[in-house]
């Protein structure tokens, strides 16, 4: 009797593998996420192997060191000064955030110098045509195809007629040999493997589009993230605000880079001076504090707003937009204990302007000061920019890139910057270093 194809079950949320199906993933606890996958490797028989051919690191470098540059600085820096030939790049983002728009623009920019193919499995050629017309895309070197068959796309890549192939999106393509529906874990992983092999063998750069689920993980397979060389995430508010293209993983460059764009009627445009744009409509009022945050290696000034109201029903409400609510709860608890603010019967709302999501701890001090000014209906005494991490003892802690943050505050005409004590000592009168939250509030808000 022929050996039955072995089957394994892969969780579409966390990528955990199990031998049997169950309703709940044993690893991440999500319900109904296990999907059947053919275990291709187990069908292979062991054959006598050959000794590996080796080479020195430097000789391997010389061959394939071409980077495709688009001359749009914002794109190129995020990729790490251009897209590496033969690399597989994944651009992930929520539906409707602007991935297809971004890639069509990128394809247009690259087609000035290279041969580019844009394969869409989501839209018809006519629909892409309409979009292309709107974006002013008309390069002869840019070819368009619609297909959802991974095998066909891989053959096209192998023919080596293009420098860059874009596949929009990986969730819509499927391999002929696999029965499950497009978008399932086995389709996504096997299609990616097929396309990757073709790209590496022919030296064609490949960009895949991947949709993310609402929790923010790359939809279906987390497994996709480690199968590719570069993962870029397009984030931001779907309706208005800035869109930020951030490198999450990059085998060829730094993950410290980010590009800031705005959606206009002619597609995504890089924002020249994002801090000024974010502060343009600011009104000096209580609860409003300007934070100097970092977006990649660039400083960005954003307004942090807090609203503190007396609770009308027994239990105080805490809500946050643009920042993790757990962090807010932690800071509120710290403020209650370390300062004289009484927040236990107050509703607290925090809002970060411009669709920006703050993830760095350097936002702590600005949030604390916003809550303090809102709760006392006061404003900061001076026109200041604030940054610094705050610990549970109320101490203000060191953060990276202090110089860049100060420089940005100066550039935008602020009177001073408030932040942690610098390790090198500080001689600049513009910068005022603080040690703990209580004395900071006393100094900059007036004594209680
Ligand atoms: P799209 O790029 O199709 O998003 P995704 O591929 O990530 O699903 O489009 C995003 C939104 O951008 C869409 O709702 C319409 C809008 N848009 C503009 O505002 N201006 C434009 O020039 C284009 C092409 C789209
Ligand atoms: Mg799209």
């Amino acid at each position: 009797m022929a050996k039955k194809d072995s089957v394994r079950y892969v969780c579409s949320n966390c990528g955990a593998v199990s031998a049997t199906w169950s309703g709940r993933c044993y690893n991440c606890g999500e319900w109904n996420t296990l999907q059947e996958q053919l275990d291709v490797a187990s069908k292979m028989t062991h054959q006598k192997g050959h000794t590996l051919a080796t080479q020195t690191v430097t000789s391997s470098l010389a061959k394939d060191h071409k980077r495709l540059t688009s001359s749009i600085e914002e794109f190129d820096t995020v990729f790490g000064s251009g897209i590496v030939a033969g690399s597989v790049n994944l651009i992930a983002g929520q539906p409707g955030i602007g991935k297809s728009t971004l890639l069509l623009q990128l394809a247009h920019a690259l087609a000035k110098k290279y041969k580019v193919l844009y394969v869409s499995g989501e839209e018809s050629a006519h629909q892409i045509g309409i979009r292309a017309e709107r974006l002013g895309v008309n390069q002869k070197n840019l070819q368009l195809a619609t297909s959802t068959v991974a095998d066909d796309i891989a053959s096209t890549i192998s023919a080596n007629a293009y420098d860059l192939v874009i596949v929009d999106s990986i969730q819509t393509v499927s391999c002929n040999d696999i029965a499950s529906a497009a978008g399932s874990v086995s389709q996504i992983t096997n299609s990616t493997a097929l396309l990757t092999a073709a790209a590496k063998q022919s030296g064609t750069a490949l960009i895949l589009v991947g949709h993310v689920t609402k929790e923010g993980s790359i939809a279906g397979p987390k497994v996709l993230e480690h199968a590719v060389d570069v993962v870029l995430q397009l984030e931001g508010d779907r309706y208005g605000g800035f869109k930020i293209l951030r490198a999450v993983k990059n085998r060829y460059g730094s993950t410290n880079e980010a590009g800031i764009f705005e959606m206009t009627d002619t597609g995504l445009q890089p924002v020249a001076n994002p801090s000024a744009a974010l502060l343009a409509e600011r009104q000096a009022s209580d609860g409003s504090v300007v934070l100097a945050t970092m977006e990649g290696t660039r400083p960005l000034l954003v307004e942090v707003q807090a609203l503190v109201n007396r609770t009308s029903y027994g239990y105080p409400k805490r809500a946050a937009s643009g920042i993790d609510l757990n962090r807010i709860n932690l800071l509120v608890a710290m403020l209650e204990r370390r300062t004289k603010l009484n927040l236990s019967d107050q509703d607290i709302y925090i809002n970060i302007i411009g669709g920006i999501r703050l993830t760095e701890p350097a936002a702590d001090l600005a949030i604390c000061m916003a809550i303090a000014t809102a709760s006392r209906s006061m404003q900061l005494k001076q026109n200041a920019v604030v940054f610094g991490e705050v610990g549970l003892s109320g101490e203000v802690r060191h953060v990276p890139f202090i110089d860049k943050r100060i420089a940005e505050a100066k550039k935008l005409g602020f009177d001073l910057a408030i932040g942690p004590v610098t390790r090198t000592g500080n001689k600049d009168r513009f910068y005022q270093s603080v040690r703990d939250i209580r004395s900071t509030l006393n100094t900059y808000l007036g004594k209680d």
Side-chain angles (χ1 to χ4, degrees), residues 95-96 98-101 118 120 122-123 131 168-169 209 211:
K99 298 180 296 299
S100 305
T101 310
Y118 186 102
S120 180
E122 298 200 331
E123 292 161 289
R131 188 197 295 251
D168 185 4
S169 67
V209 173
H211 295 292

Side-chain angles (χ1 to χ4, degrees), residues 283-294:
Q283 297 191 340
S285 75
D286 57 293
S288 158
V289 170
V290 178
L291 159 75
T293 183
M294 296 300 294

Side-chain angles (χ1 to χ4, degrees), residues 5 7 35-40 43 148 151 172-191:
D5 278 346
V7 163
Q35 296 193 1
E36 186 179 312
Q37 192 179 35
L38 268 185
D39 196 354
V40 183
K43 289 203 291 188
T148 56
D151 307 69
T172 56
V173 300
S174 49
C175 301
N176 286 334
D177 294 341
I178 292 168
S180 59
S184 65
V185 179
S186 75
Q187 283 293 11
I188 291 177
T189 46
N190 285 296
S191 309

Side-chain angles (χ1 to χ4, degrees), residues 86-140:
S87 67
V88 181
N89 308 271
L90 176 70
I91 295 199
Q94 290 180 350
I97 192 88
K99 298 180 296 299
S100 305
T101 310
L102 180 81
L103 287 177
L104 202 55
Q105 289 178 268
L106 182 65
H108 171 72
L110 284 164
K112 288 177 189 155
K113 285 189 273 177
Y114 311 101
K115 277 180 275 170
V116 181
L117 172 66
Y118 186 102
V119 185
S120 180
E122 298 200 331
E123 292 161 289
S124 70
H126 177 65
Q127 285 171 314
I128 301 168
I130 297 173
R131 188 197 295 251
E133 190 182 14
R134 181 130 74 106
L135 298 176
V137 173
N138 53 6
Q139 287 294 332
K140 285 204 191 64

Side-chain angles (χ1 to χ4, degrees), residues 22-58:
S22 64
R24 190 176 190 202
C25 172
Y26 70 90
N27 185 39
C28 66
E30 282 293 308
W31 288 95
N32 210 12
T33 53
L34 289 197
Q35 296 193 1
E36 186 179 312
Q37 192 179 35
L38 268 185
D39 196 354
V40 183
S42 67
K43 289 203 291 188
M44 291 178 193
T45 52
H46 175 75
Q47 286 169 349
K48 197 168 183 303
H50 299 282
T51 319
L52 298 177
T54 60
Q55 59 187 339
T56 61
V57 177
T58 38

